[in-house]
């Protein structure tokens, strides 16, 4: 069973992400909309994948991903519904791949699965075309 942690405060986007992940074999999900909720959810059940959306209600989704990955390695993908945001450069300060558009989730997950075991999340590169 594959478990995904989705961190985004927009339930419509969250459920769209879930819908994209279900055909890829993900069968259980935690939906969180704050940094602290994400930490609690990951402590309760370690996810196989963390998806960060555009915004959270409080805290920072990137910080949540860093904290969750403090003593383990969980792949993290940033997903956005905003085509402009997807084209903006982002520093490599976090162990996060992306941003990817919603319609790129399938390819991003498959590439992440193929890259597991070939280095830390910071060392893996997943190409995306916004």
């Amino acid at each position: 069973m594959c478990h995904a942690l989705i961190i985004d405060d927009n339930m419509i986007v969250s459920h769209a992400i879930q819908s994209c992940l279900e055909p890829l074999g993900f069968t259980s999900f935690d939906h969180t909309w704050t940094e602290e909720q994400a930490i609690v959810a990951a402590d309760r059940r370690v996810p196989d994948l963390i998806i960060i959306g555009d915004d959270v209600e409080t805290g920072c989704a990137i910080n949540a991903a860093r904290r969750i990955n403090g003593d383990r390695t969980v792949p993290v993908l940033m997903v956005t519904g905003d085509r402009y945001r997807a084209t903006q450069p982002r520093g490599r300060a976090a162990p996060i791949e992306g941003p990817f558009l919603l319609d790129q989730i399938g390819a991003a997950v498959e590439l992440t699965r193929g890259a597991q075991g070939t280095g830390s999340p910071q060392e893996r590169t997943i190409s995306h075309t916004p």
Side-chain angles (χ1 to χ4, degrees):
M1 177 175 357
C2 289
H3 178 68
L5 170 60
I6 301 171
I7 310 170
D8 190 275
D9 69 353
N10 184 321
M11 289 304 283
I12 294 170
V13 171
S14 244
H15 286 287
I17 292 169
Q18 178 176 331
S19 294
C20 292
L21 293 174
E22 287 171 338
L24 301 174
F26 287 86
T27 56
S28 69
F29 302 87
D30 277 318
H31 293 268
T32 62
W33 52 91
T34 71
E35 179 178 344
E36 290 308 314
Q37 286 175 343
I39 300 304
V40 169
D43 285 343
R44 186 176 56 243
R45 180 165 184 194
V46 177
D48 298 300
L49 177 69
I50 299 169
I51 301 278
I52 295 174
D54 286 325
D55 293 304
V56 292
E57 189 173 292
T58 61
C60 174
I62 292 173
N63 287 343
R66 286 183 185 136
R67 290 171 62 191
I68 292 166
N69 273 305
D71 59 348
R72 60 182 80 96
T73 302
V74 179
V76 181
L77 297 176
M78 179 181 281
V79 175
T80 182
D82 180 352
R83 189 164 292 278
Y84 176 77
R85 183 175 181 182
T87 63
Q88 298 309 297
R90 192 181 53 75
R92 302 290 300 163
I96 299 170
E97 303 293 348
F100 298 93
L101 293 172
L102 283 171
D103 62 358
Q104 296 174 315
I105 290 176
V109 169
E110 291 305 317
L111 289 170
T112 298
R113 285 179 174 166
Q116 286 180 344
T118 62
S120 69
Q122 295 92 331
E123 295 169 337
R124 292 192 305 262
T125 301
I126 299 175
S127 300
H128 62 282
T129 307

